[in-house]
Structures are given as structure tokens and as C-alpha cells.
Amino acid sequence: MSGETPITVIGNLTADPELKFTDNGAALAKFTIASTPRVFDRETNQWKDGTASFFRCAAWRQVAEHVAESLTKGSRVVAFGRIRQHNWETPEGEKRSMLALDIDEIGASLRFTNVTIDAKRPPAAASGDNPWDTGTAPAPAAAGSGEAPPF
């Protein structure tokens, strides 16, 4: 992760995750996390919602499938990943860019609710590969390829 910008975001999903598969069969879950700070208003002596930040997120492969099966609109999550800039050109020749969060780890927040964890271990890989390797690296041609981002 050298040279990348790691970030942890705590917030709520704005919609159900959208699960897609690339041409080579890699799972991709796309979703948005809204993170809204609570601020104390000294004039009214009450807590209020601050300005929300919205983070477009992409989870790949096994993490993507787990996100799609486990999380829904409104789910409060703690997500860790890397900020990526995606640059592309529209069919009309206009240059576009956006920042997005490539998810490495994500889980339900237990601050306001209880969850049940399915703690089954994945089956051991036949070729001696690490069965815990989630393969979260983005698919090739995701960033800086001139193609539209995976969003």
C-alpha cells in the first residue's frame, strides 16, 4: 500500500449494493457510504447532524460477494480502503475524473445494533494458495486506462 491513501469511513449505505461481474468473471460490488458527523450546537445546547460526505465504493471478488449478501440500504458500516482517482474520457471527448474508495475491509458497525456473524472458514485452496486472500486488488484497467471507472 506504499504511496496510496488509506482511509477508514464510518457511515450508512445509501442503497443496496449493486453486484456485477466483469468479463473475466471477477465480482464487483458498487455502493455509496454516507458519513454524517454529529456536531454540538452551543446556542441550542443540542446535537445536530453536520454536513454529510458521500463516498462511492468498490469491493472486488470475494469481498464484493460478501457485501452484496450481507449489507443493505441503511446498514451502518466501518470500511477501510484506499482512495483511487479514476480518469476517463466521455464519448464526446470530455475529460472526467472522480475519487472513489477501493474497499479492503468492511464490516457492520456494532454501535447501534447487534449482528450475527457466520464464522465458517473458507475451504482450503487446492493449490496451496492462501485461503484468506480476498483478492481485493482492483481489476486491471480500473484506473488511468482511459476507460470509464467501474461506477
Side-chain angles (χ1 to χ4, degrees):
M1 240 178 13
S2 179
E4 296 179 335
T5 307
I7 185 172
T8 300
V9 175
I10 301 170
N12 298 77
L13 270 60
T14 62
D16 290 345
E18 181 183 343
L19 183 64
K20 294 183 173 188
F21 291 88
T22 64
D23 291 341
N24 65 359
L28 166 63
K30 301 184 304 182
F31 53 96
T32 300
I33 299 173
S35 181
T36 307
R38 296 285 287 170
V39 294
F40 189 74
D41 185 337
R42 293 179 192 259
E43 291 179 16
T44 63
N45 219 22
Q46 294 181 329
W47 287 95
K48 294 183 176 181
D49 285 342
T51 303
S53 296
F54 296 87
F55 297 88
R56 289 291 295 151
C57 301
W60 293 92
R61 299 173 183 75
Q62 188 176 27
V63 175
E65 294 182 41
H66 291 306
V67 164
E69 292 170 12
S70 304
L71 303 173
T72 58
K73 178 181 179 176
S75 295
R76 186 164 179 84
V77 297
V78 178
F80 175 80
R82 294 157 284 121
I83 293 177
R84 298 274 190 195
Q85 179 160 336
H86 298 277
N87 301 309
W88 73 99
E89 194 170 301
T90 67
E92 295 80 26
E94 298 172 335
K95 294 185 180 203
R96 304 273 189 210
S97 70
M98 68 176 278
L99 294 177
L101 180 60
D102 281 344
I103 299 295
D104 290 319
E105 296 282 344
I106 187 167
S109 169
L110 301 178
R111 184 171 187 180
F112 301 116
T113 190
N114 294 324
V115 297
T116 302
I117 305 294
D118 179 3
K120 293 182 213 165
R121 291 180 178 255
S127 65
D129 292 337
N130 179 355
W132 295 105
D133 182 8
T134 58
T136 56
S145 67
E147 297 179 16
F151 302 99

